[in-house]
Amino acid sequence: RTTALKQWPITTRRGDQPMLELDINRVGYAVAETLGHATALPLFAFNATLFPRSANAWDSLAETYAALGNAKQAERLYAKSKALAAPR
């Protein structure tokens, strides 16, 4: 029972994506808009850490690095996102 409760946030889905992933992403964009991209960066990094196979999580992290002017890191993360999104 405890394991099921711990797994609930990452297994409850909305479409193809876990709800928690989508919620963290949404909060990240709200924080970026109101408090700035530097403040939102840890949220997007946390989301990518929690959901390492999510193209969306890596794309959002890449967008944040791009907005902060770190083009090299953004390019690397966009490539990772694109690779994860590719059909298998």
Side-chain angles (χ1 to χ4, degrees), residues 6 9-10 18 20-22 24-25 42-54 57-58:
K6 287 180 182 177
I10 59 174
L20 181 60
E21 176 193 345
L22 296 173
I24 292 170
N25 208 54
L43 289 167
F44 290 118
F46 178 64
N47 209 21
T49 300
L50 276 180
F51 301 98
R53 291 184 297 242
S54 168
W58 291 106

Side-chain angles (χ1 to χ4, degrees), residues 32-74:
E33 186 177 313
T34 58
L35 301 174
H37 292 282
T39 304
L41 182 64
L43 289 167
F44 290 118
F46 178 64
N47 209 21
T49 300
L50 276 180
F51 301 98
R53 291 184 297 242
S54 168
N56 186 55
W58 291 106
D59 181 73
S60 296
L61 183 57
E63 286 179 20
T64 303
Y65 274 106
L68 291 170
N70 190 335
K72 188 174 183 177
Q73 180 71 342

